[in-house]
mmCIF file of all heavy atoms in Angstrom:
data_model
loop_
_atom_site.group_PDB
_atom_site.id
_atom_site.type_symbol
_atom_site.label_atom_id
_atom_site.label_comp_id
_atom_site.label_asym_id
_atom_site.label_seq_id
_atom_site.Cartn_x
_atom_site.Cartn_y
_atom_site.Cartn_z
ATOM 1 N N ALA A 579 -15.099 12.887 -1.954
ATOM 2 C CA ALA A 579 -15.746 12.782 -0.636
ATOM 3 C C ALA A 579 -15.247 13.870 0.335
ATOM 4 O O ALA A 579 -15.748 13.939 1.484
ATOM 5 C CB ALA A 579 -15.452 11.390 -0.035
ATOM 6 N N VAL A 580 -14.381 14.741 -0.106
ATOM 7 C CA VAL A 580 -13.730 15.686 0.829
ATOM 8 C C VAL A 580 -14.751 16.577 1.545
ATOM 9 O O VAL A 580 -14.783 16.714 2.756
ATOM 10 C CB VAL A 580 -12.681 16.565 0.101
ATOM 11 C CG1 VAL A 580 -12.251 17.731 0.946
ATOM 12 C CG2 VAL A 580 -11.484 15.719 -0.215
ATOM 13 N N ASP A 581 -15.635 17.208 0.767
ATOM 14 C CA ASP A 581 -16.594 18.115 1.377
ATOM 15 C C ASP A 581 -17.513 17.408 2.407
ATOM 16 O O ASP A 581 -17.772 17.905 3.461
ATOM 17 C CB ASP A 581 -17.448 18.805 0.283
ATOM 18 C CG ASP A 581 -16.697 20.000 -0.337
ATOM 19 O OD1 ASP A 581 -15.488 20.121 -0.095
ATOM 20 O OD2 ASP A 581 -17.338 20.759 -1.108
ATOM 21 N N GLU A 582 -17.923 16.238 1.945
ATOM 22 C CA GLU A 582 -18.908 15.488 2.786
ATOM 23 C C GLU A 582 -18.230 15.060 4.088
ATOM 24 O O GLU A 582 -18.832 15.165 5.137
ATOM 25 C CB GLU A 582 -19.316 14.274 1.986
ATOM 26 C CG GLU A 582 -20.389 13.425 2.533
ATOM 27 C CD GLU A 582 -20.559 12.112 1.745
ATOM 28 O OE1 GLU A 582 -20.262 12.115 0.540
ATOM 29 O OE2 GLU A 582 -20.941 11.119 2.374
ATOM 30 N N VAL A 583 -17.007 14.551 4.016
ATOM 31 C CA VAL A 583 -16.297 14.071 5.215
ATOM 32 C C VAL A 583 -15.999 15.273 6.123
ATOM 33 O O VAL A 583 -16.128 15.192 7.364
ATOM 34 C CB VAL A 583 -15.041 13.307 4.848
ATOM 35 C CG1 VAL A 583 -14.192 12.957 6.051
ATOM 36 C CG2 VAL A 583 -15.416 12.011 4.109
ATOM 37 N N ALA A 584 -15.596 16.372 5.533
ATOM 38 C CA ALA A 584 -15.276 17.574 6.333
ATOM 39 C C ALA A 584 -16.545 18.112 7.004
ATOM 40 O O ALA A 584 -16.535 18.493 8.207
ATOM 41 C CB ALA A 584 -14.636 18.651 5.474
ATOM 42 N N LEU A 585 -17.665 18.100 6.268
ATOM 43 C CA LEU A 585 -18.899 18.586 6.853
ATOM 44 C C LEU A 585 -19.365 17.681 7.983
ATOM 45 O O LEU A 585 -19.847 18.134 9.016
ATOM 46 C CB LEU A 585 -19.970 18.678 5.759
ATOM 47 C CG LEU A 585 -21.308 19.308 6.184
ATOM 48 C CD1 LEU A 585 -21.104 20.775 6.660
ATOM 49 C CD2 LEU A 585 -22.320 19.331 5.053
ATOM 50 N N ALA A 586 -19.154 16.392 7.840
ATOM 51 C CA ALA A 586 -19.524 15.479 8.887
ATOM 52 C C ALA A 586 -18.687 15.747 10.167
ATOM 53 O O ALA A 586 -19.223 15.750 11.274
ATOM 54 C CB ALA A 586 -19.335 14.005 8.476
ATOM 55 N N ALA A 587 -17.399 16.060 9.974
ATOM 56 C CA ALA A 587 -16.559 16.386 11.162
ATOM 57 C C ALA A 587 -17.043 17.687 11.773
ATOM 58 O O ALA A 587 -17.130 17.823 12.990
ATOM 59 C CB ALA A 587 -15.086 16.497 10.713
ATOM 60 N N ALA A 588 -17.359 18.654 10.903
ATOM 61 C CA ALA A 588 -17.866 19.958 11.407
ATOM 62 C C ALA A 588 -19.161 19.771 12.177
ATOM 63 O O ALA A 588 -19.383 20.372 13.253
ATOM 64 C CB ALA A 588 -18.067 20.919 10.236
ATOM 65 N N GLN A 589 -20.044 18.925 11.689
ATOM 66 C CA GLN A 589 -21.318 18.674 12.358
ATOM 67 C C GLN A 589 -21.057 17.972 13.699
ATOM 68 O O GLN A 589 -21.751 18.245 14.665
ATOM 69 C CB GLN A 589 -22.260 17.798 11.507
ATOM 70 C CG GLN A 589 -22.738 18.475 10.210
ATOM 71 C CD GLN A 589 -23.682 19.639 10.430
ATOM 72 O OE1 GLN A 589 -23.891 20.107 11.537
ATOM 73 N NE2 GLN A 589 -24.239 20.155 9.350
ATOM 74 N N GLU A 590 -20.098 17.065 13.692
ATOM 75 C CA GLU A 590 -19.769 16.362 14.943
ATOM 76 C C GLU A 590 -19.293 17.368 15.999
ATOM 77 O O GLU A 590 -19.693 17.326 17.147
ATOM 78 C CB GLU A 590 -18.643 15.331 14.645
ATOM 79 C CG GLU A 590 -18.239 14.500 15.835
ATOM 80 C CD GLU A 590 -17.016 13.575 15.459
ATOM 81 O OE1 GLU A 590 -16.854 13.249 14.272
ATOM 82 O OE2 GLU A 590 -16.286 13.232 16.399
ATOM 83 N N ILE A 591 -18.454 18.308 15.583
ATOM 84 C CA ILE A 591 -17.941 19.346 16.517
ATOM 85 C C ILE A 591 -19.089 20.245 16.938
ATOM 86 O O ILE A 591 -19.270 20.576 18.125
ATOM 87 C CB ILE A 591 -16.819 20.182 15.826
ATOM 88 C CG1 ILE A 591 -15.612 19.272 15.537
ATOM 89 C CG2 ILE A 591 -16.420 21.351 16.736
ATOM 90 C CD1 ILE A 591 -14.617 19.885 14.556
ATOM 91 N N ALA A 592 -19.929 20.613 15.968
ATOM 92 C CA ALA A 592 -21.038 21.545 16.222
ATOM 93 C C ALA A 592 -22.056 20.971 17.221
ATOM 94 O O ALA A 592 -22.780 21.702 17.890
ATOM 95 C CB ALA A 592 -21.715 21.987 14.932
ATOM 96 N N ALA A 593 -22.148 19.624 17.274
ATOM 97 C CA ALA A 593 -23.127 18.978 18.113
ATOM 98 C C ALA A 593 -22.640 18.941 19.584
ATOM 99 O O ALA A 593 -23.431 18.623 20.482
ATOM 100 C CB ALA A 593 -23.393 17.579 17.641
ATOM 101 N N LEU A 594 -21.365 19.215 19.811
ATOM 102 C CA LEU A 594 -20.876 19.209 21.223
ATOM 103 C C LEU A 594 -21.275 20.480 21.954
ATOM 104 O O LEU A 594 -21.547 21.486 21.315
ATOM 105 C CB LEU A 594 -19.319 19.084 21.164
ATOM 106 C CG LEU A 594 -18.769 17.797 20.593
ATOM 107 C CD1 LEU A 594 -17.262 17.944 20.250
ATOM 108 C CD2 LEU A 594 -19.021 16.631 21.518
ATOM 109 N N PRO A 595 -21.270 20.464 23.276
ATOM 110 C CA PRO A 595 -21.619 21.712 24.017
ATOM 111 C C PRO A 595 -20.598 22.817 23.621
ATOM 112 O O PRO A 595 -19.404 22.631 23.858
ATOM 113 C CB PRO A 595 -21.472 21.295 25.452
ATOM 114 C CG PRO A 595 -21.639 19.814 25.467
ATOM 115 C CD PRO A 595 -21.033 19.333 24.159
ATOM 116 N N PRO A 596 -21.058 23.922 23.021
ATOM 117 C CA PRO A 596 -20.139 24.914 22.459
ATOM 118 C C PRO A 596 -19.253 25.600 23.543
ATOM 119 O O PRO A 596 -18.122 25.941 23.222
ATOM 120 C CB PRO A 596 -21.044 25.920 21.806
ATOM 121 C CG PRO A 596 -22.433 25.651 22.263
ATOM 122 C CD PRO A 596 -22.497 24.254 22.758
#
Side-chain angles (χ1 to χ4, degrees):
V580 167
D581 279 10
E582 188 190 330
V583 173
L585 187 60
Q589 294 292 9
E590 182 185 336
I591 297 165
L594 295 166

